[in-house]
Amino acid sequence: MQKINNSVSIYRFSICIVFGIIIALIGPYTDAPIQGWYVFSVFISVILSFILKALPMGMAVITGLFVLSITKVIEFKEALSSYSDSTVWLVLAAFLIANGVISSGLGKRISLQLIYWFGKNVFGIAYAICLTELILAPVVPSNTARGGGILAPIVDSLSKSFDSSPQKNPHKIGSYLTLLGAHANLITSAMFLTAMAANPIIAEGIKDILGINFDWLTWAKGAFVPGIIGLCLLPFFIYLINKPTISLKVNSKKIIVKEIKKIGIRPNSIEKIMFLILLLIFSLWTSKAIHGIGTSEVAWIGVLAMLVFKVQSWEDIIKNYKAWDTFIWLGGLLTISILMAQYGIIDWFVREIKVFTFDFKATSSLIIISLIYFYSMYLFSMLTAHISAFALPLMALALFLKCDPILIGAILAYFSCLCGCLTNYSTGPVIVYFGLGYVSNNKWYKTGILMSVYHIIIWLGIGMVWWKFIGWW
């Protein structure tokens, strides 16, 4: 698990406070609902803190809720309302399960075993990385832990074993595998509700604004075909724009055998138990229609199974600071987002924006809003801040423009992660992969533009056909 940034910048924090106060003071001079406006001013301060990295995320959100409560804008029980939300507990459970996957060594063994089986050539290694991402994504909601913690070190080790390092021959294979790993992570993050910590913010927005229950199974069903196609074509697409100089036919088996020997040739008992627990979770998630057990409840069955069979101890659970930090900021951020909808500020913004809208057809409006959402990621240093700031208002605007609700929700949900392709600072795993040093800043941005076109064609093209086939519109 990646360590949390615990730094506090008084200077940057002061900027957030002053900015929030200025926004709040403007409220009485508008016709906006004043309570909603005050919630909005705190929301803006929290998002600015995310962008400037003034405070750790959990601390920023708790501070925002405290300000709203102590100033009597909301009741204290309202500030805590989303901490009882089942989706927040689902993400917490998924983080705890992810720690079991990583600490047991199962995650690393899966990736090494897949590379051993498929790594007879460059494309085989690439598909092994994609497949590892696909297997781990549903139960490892920290895309940083999945990409940066498990796969990036393997990519770096493999590249150097083929005499490709950031200083020497980076284009031999290192730059190719780096770009492949980073962009595969973004695709799998878009495919599952539990594949990225901020995805539940979108799911809750879809429920509150669009009136659609975009649960784990619905999310995965909509992403299945475009996601699989995106992953299948990715090794070839990255090859076209960043062709490695190494021969296509390589032998990675000797390298991987050395790595496997370090963790043991055969899986130990803890790894086997963890594997069976994952099978149980997947089985229950995909058969919900038969037994009726909720997605969050299934995840907690997995957590309890880890404790009972000693994959994790209770001490491991309470020491998993990344899980509890995410629980705090996610629950609080959902509370603020829901309050903005409840107190009418989002509806007010939509009414104000409608003056500047043109008489587009619903489909044209949806495409324009989708592109605005995707490329506005350039303005943000993290996916969570981008989702929190843009997703809900654009949902409301698209609904006002008579776009199909399920299409609005699906496109914004999946684009929320895919737009991370644009920069080298968008999310944790991208930062880790870029930090390996194989790809220059300029090359990363050029690749990002091409990848954005790749995603838009697949998800707005093939995706729309798939969603028509499953009856979404």
mmCIF file of all heavy atoms in Angstrom, residues 22 31 35 45 53 87 97 135 154 169 175 235 287 302 324 363 380 403-404 410 437 447:
data_model
loop_
_atom_site.group_PDB
_atom_site.id
_atom_site.type_symbol
_atom_site.label_atom_id
_atom_site.label_comp_id
_atom_site.label_asym_id
_atom_site.label_seq_id
_atom_site.Cartn_x
_atom_site.Cartn_y
_atom_site.Cartn_z
ATOM 1 N N ILE A 22 -14.417 33.945 0.389
ATOM 2 C CA ILE A 22 -14.824 34.851 -0.700
ATOM 3 C C ILE A 22 -16.042 34.300 -1.425
ATOM 4 O O ILE A 22 -17.016 35.024 -1.692
ATOM 5 C CB ILE A 22 -13.653 35.076 -1.686
ATOM 6 C CG1 ILE A 22 -12.542 35.876 -1.000
ATOM 7 C CG2 ILE A 22 -14.140 35.807 -2.941
ATOM 8 C CD1 ILE A 22 -11.271 35.980 -1.819
ATOM 9 N N ASP A 31 -29.124 34.786 -6.569
ATOM 10 C CA ASP A 31 -30.452 34.234 -6.252
ATOM 11 C C ASP A 31 -30.372 32.738 -5.978
ATOM 12 O O ASP A 31 -31.374 32.031 -6.019
ATOM 13 C CB ASP A 31 -31.441 34.514 -7.387
ATOM 14 C CG ASP A 31 -31.015 33.863 -8.701
ATOM 15 O OD1 ASP A 31 -29.854 33.416 -8.804
ATOM 16 O OD2 ASP A 31 -31.848 33.808 -9.632
ATOM 17 N N GLN A 35 -28.354 28.196 1.636
ATOM 18 C CA GLN A 35 -27.774 27.059 2.342
ATOM 19 C C GLN A 35 -26.949 26.200 1.389
ATOM 20 O O GLN A 35 -25.843 25.770 1.711
ATOM 21 C CB GLN A 35 -28.886 26.230 2.990
ATOM 22 C CG GLN A 35 -28.398 25.251 4.035
ATOM 23 C CD GLN A 35 -29.539 24.572 4.774
ATOM 24 O OE1 GLN A 35 -30.715 24.744 4.428
ATOM 25 N NE2 GLN A 35 -29.223 23.801 5.798
ATOM 26 N N SER A 45 -13.606 24.808 -1.496
ATOM 27 C CA SER A 45 -12.387 24.873 -0.681
ATOM 28 C C SER A 45 -11.739 23.499 -0.545
ATOM 29 O O SER A 45 -10.510 23.370 -0.605
ATOM 30 C CB SER A 45 -12.716 25.419 0.712
ATOM 31 O OG SER A 45 -13.178 26.745 0.632
ATOM 32 N N LYS A 53 -2.902 20.256 -2.825
ATOM 33 C CA LYS A 53 -2.306 19.337 -1.840
ATOM 34 C C LYS A 53 -1.960 20.080 -0.545
ATOM 35 O O LYS A 53 -0.882 19.926 0.026
ATOM 36 C CB LYS A 53 -1.079 18.634 -2.421
ATOM 37 C CG LYS A 53 -1.425 17.708 -3.592
ATOM 38 C CD LYS A 53 -0.192 17.015 -4.133
ATOM 39 C CE LYS A 53 -0.565 15.924 -5.117
ATOM 40 N NZ LYS A 53 -1.324 16.379 -6.283
ATOM 41 N N THR A 87 -22.235 1.735 -0.179
ATOM 42 C CA THR A 87 -21.142 1.808 -1.145
ATOM 43 C C THR A 87 -19.834 2.196 -0.476
ATOM 44 O O THR A 87 -18.765 1.707 -0.839
ATOM 45 C CB THR A 87 -21.476 2.826 -2.261
ATOM 46 O OG1 THR A 87 -22.727 2.492 -2.845
ATOM 47 C CG2 THR A 87 -20.416 2.821 -3.344
ATOM 48 N N ILE A 97 -9.690 -6.308 1.609
ATOM 49 C CA ILE A 97 -9.456 -7.529 0.831
ATOM 50 C C ILE A 97 -8.204 -7.367 -0.026
ATOM 51 O O ILE A 97 -7.393 -8.293 -0.155
ATOM 52 C CB ILE A 97 -10.683 -7.845 -0.049
ATOM 53 C CG1 ILE A 97 -11.868 -8.237 0.836
ATOM 54 C CG2 ILE A 97 -10.369 -8.964 -1.044
ATOM 55 C CD1 ILE A 97 -13.203 -8.261 0.098
ATOM 56 N N ILE A 135 -7.877 -9.242 -13.624
ATOM 57 C CA ILE A 135 -8.183 -10.169 -12.531
ATOM 58 C C ILE A 135 -8.218 -9.439 -11.181
ATOM 59 O O ILE A 135 -9.095 -9.683 -10.348
ATOM 60 C CB ILE A 135 -7.152 -11.318 -12.499
ATOM 61 C CG1 ILE A 135 -7.332 -12.225 -13.723
ATOM 62 C CG2 ILE A 135 -7.287 -12.140 -11.212
ATOM 63 C CD1 ILE A 135 -6.230 -13.245 -13.905
ATOM 64 N N ILE A 154 7.378 -5.065 -11.286
ATOM 65 C CA ILE A 154 7.625 -6.201 -12.176
ATOM 66 C C ILE A 154 8.008 -5.705 -13.570
ATOM 67 O O ILE A 154 8.926 -6.232 -14.209
ATOM 68 C CB ILE A 154 6.398 -7.124 -12.235
ATOM 69 C CG1 ILE A 154 6.179 -7.794 -10.864
ATOM 70 C CG2 ILE A 154 6.559 -8.189 -13.321
ATOM 71 C CD1 ILE A 154 4.909 -8.604 -10.767
ATOM 72 N N ASN A 169 19.070 2.276 -23.314
ATOM 73 C CA ASN A 169 18.074 1.576 -24.134
ATOM 74 C C ASN A 169 16.646 1.615 -23.563
ATOM 75 O O ASN A 169 15.976 0.567 -23.487
ATOM 76 C CB ASN A 169 18.465 0.102 -24.337
ATOM 77 C CG ASN A 169 19.823 -0.070 -24.972
ATOM 78 O OD1 ASN A 169 20.195 0.702 -25.850
ATOM 79 N ND2 ASN A 169 20.569 -1.067 -24.528
ATOM 80 N N SER A 175 10.038 1.444 -22.238
ATOM 81 C CA SER A 175 9.033 2.491 -22.480
ATOM 82 C C SER A 175 7.716 1.869 -22.941
ATOM 83 O O SER A 175 6.637 2.336 -22.563
ATOM 84 C CB SER A 175 9.542 3.494 -23.521
ATOM 85 O OG SER A 175 9.821 2.852 -24.757
ATOM 86 N N PRO A 235 -2.259 -3.559 -26.477
ATOM 87 C CA PRO A 235 -0.858 -3.881 -26.784
ATOM 88 C C PRO A 235 -0.454 -3.503 -28.208
ATOM 89 O O PRO A 235 0.676 -3.042 -28.434
ATOM 90 C CB PRO A 235 -0.803 -5.403 -26.577
ATOM 91 C CG PRO A 235 -1.876 -5.682 -25.573
ATOM 92 C CD PRO A 235 -2.980 -4.737 -25.928
ATOM 93 N N SER A 287 -23.912 -13.764 -8.823
ATOM 94 C CA SER A 287 -25.155 -14.536 -8.681
ATOM 95 C C SER A 287 -26.143 -13.857 -7.729
ATOM 96 O O SER A 287 -26.957 -14.508 -7.094
ATOM 97 C CB SER A 287 -24.842 -15.959 -8.190
ATOM 98 O OG SER A 287 -24.163 -15.915 -6.939
ATOM 99 N N GLY A 302 -16.207 -11.639 2.637
ATOM 100 C CA GLY A 302 -14.809 -11.873 2.300
ATOM 101 C C GLY A 302 -13.859 -11.409 3.398
ATOM 102 O O GLY A 302 -12.895 -12.097 3.729
ATOM 103 N N TRP A 324 -8.822 3.113 5.850
ATOM 104 C CA TRP A 324 -9.592 3.990 6.734
ATOM 105 C C TRP A 324 -9.540 5.438 6.270
ATOM 106 O O TRP A 324 -10.514 6.182 6.411
ATOM 107 C CB TRP A 324 -9.081 3.849 8.174
ATOM 108 C CG TRP A 324 -9.350 2.478 8.710
ATOM 109 C CD1 TRP A 324 -8.449 1.486 8.915
ATOM 110 C CD2 TRP A 324 -10.634 1.927 9.050
ATOM 111 N NE1 TRP A 324 -9.069 0.340 9.375
ATOM 112 C CE2 TRP A 324 -10.417 0.595 9.470
ATOM 113 C CE3 TRP A 324 -11.933 2.419 9.047
ATOM 114 C CZ2 TRP A 324 -11.450 -0.246 9.882
ATOM 115 C CZ3 TRP A 324 -12.967 1.583 9.469
ATOM 116 C CH2 TRP A 324 -12.718 0.277 9.873
ATOM 117 N N THR A 363 -28.479 13.863 -28.472
ATOM 118 C CA THR A 363 -27.253 13.093 -28.741
ATOM 119 C C THR A 363 -26.042 14.008 -28.871
ATOM 120 O O THR A 363 -24.974 13.736 -28.315
ATOM 121 C CB THR A 363 -27.411 12.256 -30.021
ATOM 122 O OG1 THR A 363 -28.558 11.417 -29.903
ATOM 123 C CG2 THR A 363 -26.178 11.408 -30.269
ATOM 124 N N PHE A 380 -6.836 19.345 -13.729
ATOM 125 C CA PHE A 380 -6.796 18.732 -12.396
ATOM 126 C C PHE A 380 -5.565 17.855 -12.224
ATOM 127 O O PHE A 380 -5.073 17.263 -13.183
ATOM 128 C CB PHE A 380 -8.064 17.911 -12.145
ATOM 129 C CG PHE A 380 -9.310 18.751 -12.037
ATOM 130 C CD1 PHE A 380 -10.000 19.140 -13.165
ATOM 131 C CD2 PHE A 380 -9.768 19.161 -10.798
ATOM 132 C CE1 PHE A 380 -11.138 19.920 -13.073
ATOM 133 C CE2 PHE A 380 -10.901 19.942 -10.683
ATOM 134 C CZ PHE A 380 -11.589 20.327 -11.833
ATOM 135 N N CYS A 403 -30.919 14.459 -22.368
ATOM 136 C CA CYS A 403 -30.105 13.307 -22.750
ATOM 137 C C CYS A 403 -30.613 12.083 -21.992
ATOM 138 O O CYS A 403 -31.187 12.202 -20.910
ATOM 139 C CB CYS A 403 -28.637 13.551 -22.401
ATOM 140 S SG CYS A 403 -27.911 14.991 -23.220
ATOM 141 N N ASP A 404 -30.394 10.907 -22.570
ATOM 142 C CA ASP A 404 -30.841 9.670 -21.945
ATOM 143 C C ASP A 404 -30.101 9.457 -20.622
ATOM 144 O O ASP A 404 -28.869 9.410 -20.598
ATOM 145 C CB ASP A 404 -30.563 8.496 -22.886
ATOM 146 C CG ASP A 404 -31.276 7.227 -22.450
ATOM 147 O OD1 ASP A 404 -31.061 6.808 -21.299
ATOM 148 O OD2 ASP A 404 -32.048 6.675 -23.249
ATOM 149 N N ALA A 410 -23.513 6.263 -17.664
ATOM 150 C CA ALA A 410 -22.497 5.322 -18.130
ATOM 151 C C ALA A 410 -21.266 6.038 -18.675
ATOM 152 O O ALA A 410 -20.126 5.721 -18.298
ATOM 153 C CB ALA A 410 -23.093 4.413 -19.199
ATOM 154 N N GLY A 437 10.926 6.411 -15.246
ATOM 155 C CA GLY A 437 11.908 7.137 -16.042
ATOM 156 C C GLY A 437 12.117 6.658 -17.461
ATOM 157 O O GLY A 437 13.007 7.152 -18.168
ATOM 158 N N THR A 447 1.358 10.570 -26.287
ATOM 159 C CA THR A 447 0.653 9.287 -26.157
ATOM 160 C C THR A 447 -0.726 9.502 -25.545
ATOM 161 O O THR A 447 -1.702 8.873 -25.948
ATOM 162 C CB THR A 447 1.467 8.312 -25.279
ATOM 163 O OG1 THR A 447 2.764 8.129 -25.853
ATOM 164 C CG2 THR A 447 0.765 6.962 -25.164
#
